[in-house]
Amino acid sequence: MDYYRAGSTDEAVQLLGRFGSEAKVLAGGQSLMPLINMRLARPGVLVDINRLTDLNSIREEDGMLVIGAITRHSTIERSELVRRLCPLIAEATRLIGYPSIRARATFGGSMAHADPAAEYPGVAVALEATLVVRGPTAERHIAARDFFQGFLTTDLADDELVTEVRIPTQPAGEGWAYAELATRPGDYATVGVVARLSIDRSGRCQMASLTCTSVGPTPIRAARAAAILAGEPPSADLFDAAGAIASEEVQPESDALSSADYKRDMTRVMTRRALEAALQRTRT
């Protein structure tokens, strides 16, 4: 394969436009390089974007947390700004792989790879993030819920590059949690559930959001499960009911480690755990 090291974002986009589907973007390489080593991916061209310092940033802008595409997971993990504005992202980051992986892997790379078992795509959907992508002629802003279209499949065209992700900051007083079941700490999740919860002055659920990962081709919003929480006082029975509904909304497939039925049952359990943890954070 041929190798090009882009000196600017414009040059990277030009190279992608020139080579189209033959080209793959190289940033952290934590997903791409294993695929190449196993001959599951055989690109004709690698476009290295590691020198694009304008894509390596974390900032607050217009009420949003903006994370550049090649910002490393470890940088996000250490960021006080991330912990203050979007603590859910900080929690998810600690669940990803191991320190050596987090030192190389990039935020935008995780989005573009679109593994439904990965933490960041699920968080992006849960937080209603927007991905900014640049092509040869225009820039597009794509809602995370529309960006992920299937297993390792996105709305990103061959000649487009993810440049940043814009995430609405989490409101004060909101509860949040990422409950994840994995064979070992750092492994891909068998089931993950992202919960967001707010409680009004009367002690009832004002807002509830549930997003499930690793149980379908994309992160799945468990809308029916979240809907039964609205306007109700939180309770163990209510959370159990939400978990039961969420287990019906997911689309798991059996694999070498667990059956689809097991994943549905664990979706129920993880939903309850995520909601319990989120509720606790509304009280602290």
Side-chain angles (χ1 to χ4, degrees):
M1 66 186 75
D2 292 330
Y3 170 86
Y4 293 85
R5 176 172 283 176
S8 68
T9 302
D10 288 341
E11 183 183 1
V13 171
Q14 289 169 6
L15 287 166
L16 294 176
R18 176 180 170 189
F19 293 108
S21 60
E22 289 185 60
K24 291 290 185 183
V25 174
L26 175 63
Q30 299 302 288
S31 299
L32 177 61
M33 298 314 295
L35 290 176
I36 291 175
N37 288 339
M38 291 184 288
R39 304 298 191 266
L40 296 175
R42 305 188 71 172
V45 175
L46 287 181
V47 178
D48 187 337
I49 63 170
N50 279 286
R51 286 187 174 178
L52 308 188
T53 56
D54 58 316
L55 304 187
N56 184 11
S57 64
I58 301 174
R59 67 185 189 276
E60 183 179 7
E61 184 178 286
D62 299 329
M64 301 279 223
L65 176 67
V66 184
I67 302 179
I70 67 167
T71 305
R72 311 291 171 179
H73 294 3
S74 57
T75 302
I76 295 169
E77 186 176 22
R78 296 190 302 266
S79 171
E80 170 57 31
L81 189 63
V82 171
R83 288 193 294 270
R84 179 165 58 84
L85 298 182
C86 287
L88 179 54
I89 295 177
E91 172 153 298
T93 303
R94 289 191 291 270
L95 298 172
I96 299 172
Y98 308 96
S100 58
I101 291 173
R102 296 195 294 273
R104 290 294 304 167
T106 63
F107 195 66
S110 180
M111 301 297 175
H113 186 56
D115 190 327
E119 287 81 3
Y120 280 154
V123 168
V125 171
L127 291 174
E128 300 180 355
T130 298
L131 287 90
V132 181
V133 305
R134 189 182 303 179
T137 60
E139 181 177 87
R140 293 197 295 151
H141 291 225
I142 309 169
R145 64 179 178 274
D146 300 322
F147 182 79
F148 304 107
Q149 298 192 335
F151 180 71
L152 306 184
T153 304
T154 72
D155 189 42
L156 196 66
D158 291 334
D159 60 357
E160 288 182 319
L161 178 71
V162 177
T163 57
E164 64 185 25
V165 183
R166 305 179 66 85
I167 307 136
T169 58
Q170 292 181 245
E174 177 182 281
W176 46 271
Y178 199 139
E180 186 175 273
L181 174 68
T183 304
R184 297 170 299 183
D187 284 0
Y188 277 117
T190 301
V191 174
V193 176
V194 184
R196 300 176 64 192
L197 192 65
S198 64
I199 306 298
D200 64 20
R201 293 182 178 180
S202 67
R204 297 176 181 272
C205 297
Q206 183 176 32
M207 182 281 295
S209 168
L210 293 165
T211 305
C212 304
T213 64
S214 205
V215 282
T218 65
I220 294 175
R221 293 292 293 268
R224 289 195 295 113
I228 72 162
L229 300 169
E232 298 292 331
S235 67
D237 288 343
L238 182 64
F239 290 170
D240 280 337
I245 294 174
S247 72
E248 298 171 355
E249 294 186 79
V250 296
Q251 305 164 26
E253 293 186 359
S254 299
D255 56 34
L257 295 177
S258 53
S259 68
D261 287 342
Y262 176 76
K263 292 179 182 180
R264 287 188 185 277
D265 195 39
M266 289 303 100
T267 297
R268 177 184 59 80
V269 173
M270 291 300 114
T271 297
R272 185 188 69 236
R273 290 183 183 179
L275 286 169
E276 288 171 347
L279 177 62
Q280 184 62 34
R281 284 184 168 127
T282 67
R283 296 169 173 169
T284 59

